Amino acid sequence: MDENKRRWLYSRDNLVKTIRSLGFPDELGEAVVKNLGSPKAMDRMTSYLTNMKPTTPELVVDEMLSIRSEIEAWRVKKDSEDANAKYNEMLYYGLGNEDDVEGMDGVDDGDDC
């Protein structure tokens, strides 16, 4: 078993155990694990549960949805930053066709000296 799988299993078991210790059914824990997916998100959820000790399943689910929403916003931001970097690179280096070598208007003005 590789390290990533081991970390995922540890985070999953820890989250389900924490949810169970708060008096909620294991099914809620498994549903939260399924929705969060990554060890980092599960660890964040476990930290919330440990510190806040929510008393209703609605609070648990609300925090799970909040974490998912923040992860998705982060992904959108990273995708936007990547697209912006590629666009800026294209502006700086051009498209790589012959017109870029001679100038933006495609006319050789003879200023090669």
Side-chain angles (χ1 to χ4, degrees):
M1 181 181 311
D2 68 340
E3 186 61 31
N4 289 335
K5 181 71 172 172
R6 194 172 297 126
R7 177 155 162 42
W8 189 90
L9 289 171
Y10 173 79
S11 295
R12 180 202 64 190
D13 293 344
N14 198 23
L15 178 56
V16 172
K17 182 178 74 171
T18 302
I19 288 177
R20 186 183 316 121
S21 74
L22 292 171
F24 300 115
D26 286 353
E27 292 80 17
L28 177 61
E30 292 298 331
V32 170
V33 165
K34 183 178 178 184
N35 279 282
L36 292 177
S38 74
K40 188 173 181 179
M42 288 186 269
D43 292 344
R44 186 171 164 193
M45 185 72 185
T46 301
S47 178
Y48 165 78
L49 295 170
T50 303
N51 291 315
M52 299 306 293
K53 298 185 183 3
T55 56
T56 65
E58 289 83 3
L59 291 173
V60 175
V61 171
D62 185 56
E63 183 64 19
M64 176 199 69
L65 294 173
S66 176
I67 291 171
R68 285 192 53 173
S69 176
E70 289 176 13
I71 290 170
E72 183 58 30
W74 179 83
R75 285 184 181 143
V76 167
K77 178 182 176 222
K78 289 299 175 184
D79 288 345
S80 176
E81 288 173 353
D82 185 49
N84 189 40
K86 288 178 183 176
Y87 176 73
N88 286 335
E89 184 178 323
M90 183 197 67
L91 289 177
Y92 185 77
Y93 294 111
L95 296 175
N97 57 26
E98 292 177 21
D99 292 340
D100 293 334
V101 175
E102 294 179 13
M104 292 302 284
D105 59 2
V107 177
D108 186 9
D109 54 6
D111 292 339
D112 292 306
C113 302

